[in-house]
C-alpha cells in the first residue's frame, strides 16, 4: 500500500489491519525512519503488528525500482506471503505545473501516474491469481461542475511525453496549472487501470474515487488561503451528500480492497459503487499510447 501515512490512506491502513489480522500489510513510505515510525504507530493503534515498511520516494524511479526489488527479495526468501493485492493511494496535487521529480518529470504526473505504472509493472508477475489492484482516482477527471464544484479545471490530455514534461513560464506557475495537472493525472489513472486490466486478466484492477474529501492534506502544497479553506471551511460540506469525511472515505477505501468482487476488472468505483467513469476515460488509443510512453520513460519493455 502506498499513501498510508495520512488522510484517508491512514484510516484505510488501520481498517485493513483490524479487519484482516491474518494478512501482512506492506506500507510504502518515503524514508526508512518514517517507515519504521508508521509501522510502529499502526501496530500500536490497531493491536496488529503484522505490518512492515518498504522505503521508497515515489518521486524517484530509482527508488521505485529499489522498493520493488526489496519486495521481490522478501518474496524469494519467503519472508512474506505471496502478494494478494496492491492499494495505490499515494498522490499529490501541486500549486503549479513546474515542480519536478528526481527524474525531471512534472511532479504530479510523475508521482500519480509513472510511479504507479512502474511499481505495478515490476511486481505484476508476483501477484497471486485473483489479486486485487486498486488505484485511487478522482472525480476531477470528469472535468465538469457536477463532479468537482468548479474547484479543479478539466483535464487536458496530450501525449505521455508532453504530460511528463514540466511546465515553463508564468502560466505554469499558477495554481490553475497545478490543479489541471492533477485532474489530467487522474484521467491518466483511469487509462492505466483499463490498460492493466486488459494485459493482466488474472488480476482484478479498479480505480476508486472517494469523492470530495476536504480536511485532508491533499492541498498542502497550495497557498495559505486555499489550505485554510480546504482544511476548515469545506469540511462543513461533510453533512451534505456533496462531500465525505476522511474517516468515512478511508473506511470505503479499505472496503474496496476487502469486499466481494465489486465488478468486472477495469471498473470505476465511486465510493464503492460501480459506475461509468468519464466518457473521455474510455479511449483505448490514449490508453495504449500512455502504456508505451510510460514504458519508454520508465525504462521497461512495452510488452
Amino acid at each position: 500500500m502506498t499513501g498510508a501515512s495520512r488522510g484517508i490512506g491512514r484510516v484505510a491502513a488501520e481498517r485493513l489491519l483490524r479487519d484482516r489480522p491474518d494478512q501482512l500489510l506492506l506500507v510504502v513510505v518515503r524514508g526508512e525512519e518514517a517507515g519504521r515510525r508508521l509501522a510502529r504507530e499502526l501496530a500500536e493503534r490497531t493491536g496488529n503488528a503484522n505490518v512492515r515498511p518498504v522505503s521508497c520516494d515515489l518521486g524517484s524511479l530509482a527508488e521505485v525500482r529499489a522498493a520493488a526489488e526489496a519486495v521481490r527479495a522478501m518474496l524469494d526468501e519467503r519472508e512474506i506471503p505471496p502478494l494478494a493485492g496492491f492499494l495505490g493511494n499515494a498522490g499529490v496535487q501541486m500549486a503549479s505545473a513546474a515542480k519536478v521529480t528526481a527524474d525531471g518529470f512534472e511532479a504530479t504526473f510523475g508521482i500519480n501516474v509513472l510511479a504507479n505504472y512502474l511499481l505495478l509493472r515490476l511486481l505484476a508477475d508476483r501477484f497471486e491469481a485473483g489479486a486485487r489492484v486498486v488505484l485511487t482516482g478522482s472525480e476531477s477527471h470528469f472535468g465538469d461542475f457536477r463532479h468537482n464544484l468548479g474547484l479543479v479545471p478539466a483535464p487536458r490530455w496530450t501525449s505521455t511525453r508532453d504530460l511528463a514534461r514540466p511546465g515553463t513560464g508564468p502560466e505554469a506557475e499558477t495554481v490553475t496549472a497545478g490543479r489541471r495537472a492533477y485532474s489530467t493525472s487522474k484521467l491518466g489513472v483511469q487509462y492505466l487501470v483499463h490498460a492493466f486490466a486488459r494485459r493482466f486478466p488474472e488480476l482484478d484492477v479498479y480505480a476508486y474515487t472517494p469523492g470530495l474529501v476536504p480536511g485532508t492534506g491533499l492541498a498542502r502544497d497550495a497557498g495559505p488561503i486555499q489550505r485554510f479553506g480546504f482544511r476548515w471551511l469545506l469540511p462543513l460540506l461533510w453533512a451534505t451528500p456533496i462531500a465525505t469525511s476522511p474517516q468515512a472515505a478511508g473506511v470505503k477505501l479499505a472496503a474496496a480492497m476487502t469486499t466481494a468482487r465489486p465488478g468486472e476488472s477495469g471498473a470505476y468505483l465511486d465510493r464503492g459503487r460501480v459506475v461509468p467513469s468519464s466518457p473521455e476515460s474510455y479511449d483505448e488509443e490514449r490508453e495504449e499510447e500512455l502504456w508505451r510512453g510510460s514504458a519508454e520513460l520508465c525504462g521497461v519493455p512495452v510488452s
Side-chain angles (χ1 to χ4, degrees), residues 124-207:
D125 64 320
R126 305 307 297 268
F127 285 105
E128 291 183 309
R132 186 172 298 184
V133 174
V134 175
L135 299 184
T136 299
S138 168
E139 286 185 309
S140 66
H141 87 275
F142 280 87
D144 58 20
F145 184 86
R146 183 170 77 87
H147 288 90
N148 61 40
L149 302 181
L151 296 172
V152 183
R156 185 179 293 165
W157 194 264
T158 55
S159 70
T160 301
R161 185 165 288 279
D162 285 343
L163 292 170
R165 187 177 296 118
T168 59
E171 183 180 353
E173 297 286 352
T174 64
V175 172
T176 297
R179 290 180 178 173
R180 190 183 300 279
Y182 177 76
S183 65
T184 304
S185 75
K186 292 304 185 179
L187 178 58
V189 167
Q190 295 300 132
Y191 292 149
L192 281 187
V193 165
H194 296 159
F196 270 101
R198 278 197 301 276
R199 284 172 168 78
F200 297 94
E202 69 278 12
L203 304 179
D204 283 329
V205 188
Y206 303 105

Side-chain angles (χ1 to χ4, degrees), residues 79-126:
E79 296 177 26
I80 60 174
L83 297 181
F86 173 76
L87 176 53
N89 178 62
V92 296
Q93 182 183 116
M94 298 294 185
S96 79
K99 294 193 175 183
V100 298
T101 66
D103 305 282
F105 301 129
E106 191 278 315
T108 313
F109 190 81
I111 294 171
N112 295 359
V113 179
L114 294 180
N116 276 319
Y117 172 84
L118 182 58
L119 193 54
L120 283 172
R121 281 296 307 273
L122 296 176
L123 293 175
D125 64 320
R126 305 307 297 268

Side-chain angles (χ1 to χ4, degrees), residues 2-279:
T2 67
S5 60
R6 60 166 67 92
I8 68 172
R10 180 63 175 263
V11 174
E14 293 181 6
R15 186 72 175 219
L16 288 170
L17 285 167
R18 290 191 177 104
D19 290 354
R20 295 296 177 93
D22 57 322
Q23 291 189 352
L24 176 68
L25 179 64
L26 296 177
V27 287
V28 178
V29 183
R30 181 176 179 176
E32 293 183 4
E33 179 53 38
R36 287 192 291 267
R37 183 170 60 251
L38 176 61
R40 184 170 59 249
E41 290 174 356
L42 288 172
E44 290 173 353
R45 284 185 58 85
T46 65
N48 182 0
N50 215 10
V51 54
R52 289 183 62 174
V54 177
S55 178
C56 179
D57 176 359
L58 294 172
S60 165
L61 295 185
E63 290 208 24
V64 172
R65 287 182 175 277
E69 284 302 314
V71 173
R72 295 180 73 91
M74 286 188 277
L75 289 166
D76 290 340
E77 297 297 323
R78 298 189 177 181
E79 296 177 26
I80 60 174
L83 297 181
F86 173 76
L87 176 53
N89 178 62
V92 296
Q93 182 183 116
M94 298 294 185
S96 79
K99 294 193 175 183
V100 298
T101 66
D103 305 282
F105 301 129
E106 191 278 315
T108 313
F109 190 81
I111 294 171
N112 295 359
V113 179
L114 294 180
N116 276 319
Y117 172 84
L118 182 58
L119 193 54
L120 283 172
R121 281 296 307 273
L122 296 176
L123 293 175
D125 64 320
R126 305 307 297 268
F127 285 105
E128 291 183 309
R132 186 172 298 184
V133 174
V134 175
L135 299 184
T136 299
S138 168
E139 286 185 309
S140 66
H141 87 275
F142 280 87
D144 58 20
F145 184 86
R146 183 170 77 87
H147 288 90
N148 61 40
L149 302 181
L151 296 172
V152 183
R156 185 179 293 165
W157 194 264
T158 55
S159 70
T160 301
R161 185 165 288 279
D162 285 343
L163 292 170
R165 187 177 296 118
T168 59
E171 183 180 353
E173 297 286 352
T174 64
V175 172
T176 297
R179 290 180 178 173
R180 190 183 300 279
Y182 177 76
S183 65
T184 304
S185 75
K186 292 304 185 179
L187 178 58
V189 167
Q190 295 300 132
Y191 292 149
L192 281 187
V193 165
H194 296 159
F196 270 101
R198 278 197 301 276
R199 284 172 168 78
F200 297 94
E202 69 278 12
L203 304 179
D204 283 329
V205 188
Y206 303 105
Y208 168 86
T209 179
L212 176 62
V213 191
T216 69
L218 180 62
R220 57 187 175 274
D221 193 56
I225 295 177
Q226 292 90 344
R227 290 200 307 271
F228 178 83
F230 195 77
R231 183 75 175 176
W232 301 108
L233 298 181
L234 286 179
L236 297 174
L237 296 174
W238 289 347
T240 75
I242 295 174
T244 307
S245 71
Q247 179 66 33
V251 169
K252 290 181 179 180
L253 177 59
M257 291 294 295
T258 59
T259 56
R261 190 169 186 257
E264 293 298 316
S265 183
Y268 175 67
L269 308 180
D270 182 350
R271 282 152 278 200
R273 296 182 304 111
V274 175
V275 301
S277 52
S278 73

